[in-house]
Amino acid sequence: VQLLEVNKLCNTRNIVTINQNYPGPVVYAQEDDRVIVKLTNESPYNATIHWHGVRQILSCWSDGPSYITQCPVQPGQSFTYNFTLAGQKGTLFWHAHFSWLRATVYGALIVYPKTAVPYPFIHPYEEHIVILGEYWQQDLIQLEKTVMASGTAAPIADAYTINGHPGPKYNCSANDVYKIDVLPGKTYMLRLVGALLNMESFFSIANHKLTIVEADGEYTKPFTTNQVMLGPGQTLNVLVTADQKIGRYSMAMGPYMSAQHVAFQNITSIAYFQYLGATQNSVVLPASLLPRFNDNLAVKTVMDGLKSLEIGNVPKEIDTNLFFTIGMNVNKCGSRTPKQNCQGVNGGVMAASMNNNSFIRPDTPILQAYYDHSNGHFTEDFPGTPLKFYDFVNGAPNSPPNNTGSTYGTRAKVLEYGSQVQLILQDTGTVTTENHPIHLHGYSFYVVGYGSGNYDPQTASFNLVDPPYMNTIGVPVGGWAAIRFVADNPGVWIMHCHLELHFDWGLSVVFIVKDGQGPMETLPHPPPDMPR
C-alpha cells in the first residue's frame, strides 16, 4: 500500500494505491488456484483488502472487511491473505475495505478456466479489463470523517473514471483518456468491473451492441443489449463485435440515480473504442448514448435478461425464511452542536438500516470475538423479519425525523451450518426509495425473483430453474428481490449495501454461520500474522 502522486483534473495530489498502480495490479489466476498475497502497508492510513466475489471456503480470516474479519493492517505492518479459488472462474475484483480507501485502491481479479477448458461462447480476439470508478480531489479518509460528522450526504465525485481516466469531457483531461484499439470484424470481450464508491452507473459503446456472457463471475445465457448498468461490486463480461464503419466510437459511463433529490456528478466519462485506420479527430458521439439518469426500465430490462447458462442447483427445501427491509432513516439530533452535526433532512442525522437496525462496526473484529467466545462485542439478536409490517414502499413514515429513526447495534443473525436460506430484501420509502446494490461476503446466491412494490408471496413469480448466481444484487427501486443460498461456509460474513455512504450509515448485517461436522465444515484457527 503506497501513496502515488497523480495529476488529474488540473490538480496534483497523493492517492493511496497498491504498488503505485492506479487502478491497482491485476491478479491473474486459474480455477482452483491457491492465491497468496502479502500486503505491506507503507501508507499513513490503516488498510485491508477484500477479495470481492471470492467464496473464501474455510478462509474467512482472509475475507478482508475491517472490524468484521480482521483489524486493519496498520502503517508499517504486514498481513498475508491466503485463499483458494475453489470451483470459481470469471471476472472478480479486489478493493480496500477500510474507510473510503477503495475509491482508489482496487483492481481486477481474473480467474481463467482450467487449462484446455474453453469459454462456452466464441473465443474473443482479445480481452480488455474496463473498471468503472469515481475520483475525488480530496483525502478520502478525511472526507469520510467529515461526512459522518455532518450527519448528511457526501459531496459528489469530481469525476467518473474508466480505468482511472476521466476522459475528454472533464477539465484538463483531453489526453487523460482510456482507449481500446480494435480491428474491423473482430469480437472483443470486455471485463466490466463496477468499482464506484457512492454511485451506480450505465455503460455503453456508441453504435455497438453488448452481449452479456457472464455476471459476477458466473456464465449466463448470452443476452444482447444496448447498455448495461453496474452498481458498485458488480462485474459483467460482455462481447462486442467491431462491425461498424471505421471510426472512433465513444465508450461511455454515466450516472444511474434512482433516489429522489440526491445530487450527483452528471458529466459523462468517455473512453475510445477505436478502429484501426480511424483518424485522430473522427469522434462519434451519438446523443442517445446513455439512458436518462433515472431510467429504471433500462435497469430492469438487463436484469430480466440474466439467466444462468446451466440449470442451477437452487435450494428448494427452504428451512430458514428471512425478510429484511433495506432503506434510509433520519434520526433525531442528539448533538450539542446541531449546525455542525445534524445537517440531514429537517435537522436530523442521516442513517440507513436493515430491519430498521443501523449496524455499528465494533473495534474488535466480530470474527475474533466469535472465535474466542469473547462477550460484549456483538449480539446475536438481529431480527429475521421486520418488527412491524406496513406498506413499505408507499406508506413509509416520511415526516423526518419523526418516526423515521433506527435503532443502533452490532447485531448478528446466526445460521445453522447447512441451512437452506431464502431471504427477501425489501426496499422502503422513508426519505426515498432507491436501488441498493446488496453484497454478501463469502457466498454467491441465486436471485430467484424480484419485482416492484411490496413483496407478496401470493403473486411473486420465482425462477427456480436457471436464475442468475450473483454476489451483489441491485434490489429494485421501490421493489424487492428474493435470494437463496445454502449456509455451508462457516464464519462471520457481512452483507451490506455497496454504496459506501449507506454502508457507513449502517445498511448492513452480519451472518454468523456455525460450524458443521468435522474439519471440512469447521472454521480453522486464525493465521499467525493476524493484524493487532
Side-chain angles (χ1 to χ4, degrees), residues 251-287:
M251 290 189 284
M253 72 170 283
Y256 170 52
M257 173 52 76
S258 57
Q260 304 291 316
H261 314 301
V262 177
F264 57 89
Q265 175 60 262
N266 63 359
I267 300 175
T268 309
S269 177
I270 301 284
Y272 298 135
F273 191 74
Q274 184 161 328
Y275 284 62
L276 187 71
T279 56
Q280 279 303 320
N281 53 7
S282 57
V283 177
V284 177
L285 278 172

Side-chain angles (χ1 to χ4, degrees), residues 52-107:
H52 187 108
V54 173
R55 281 291 310 272
Q56 296 289 4
I57 309 285
L58 299 182
S59 54
C60 189
W61 301 100
S62 282
D63 189 40
S66 51
Y67 308 112
I68 307 302
T69 62
Q70 65 168 101
C71 282
V73 180
Q74 295 173 48
Q77 295 185 356
S78 296
F79 175 57
T80 300
Y81 291 94
N82 189 331
F83 54 88
T84 301
L85 296 163
Q88 291 195 267
K89 53 189 174 286
T91 303
L92 304 173
F93 77 119
W94 55 264
H95 60 77
H97 219 297
F98 175 81
S99 181
W100 288 6
L101 280 189
R102 74 172 182 83
T104 56
V105 181
Y106 58 77

Side-chain angles (χ1 to χ4, degrees), residues 438-459:
I438 303 294
H439 171 53
L440 174 58
H441 287 224
Y443 289 87
S444 287
F445 45 75
Y446 290 101
V447 182
V448 295
Y450 53 89
S452 58
N454 298 309
Y455 172 69
D456 178 353
Q458 264 37 69
T459 57

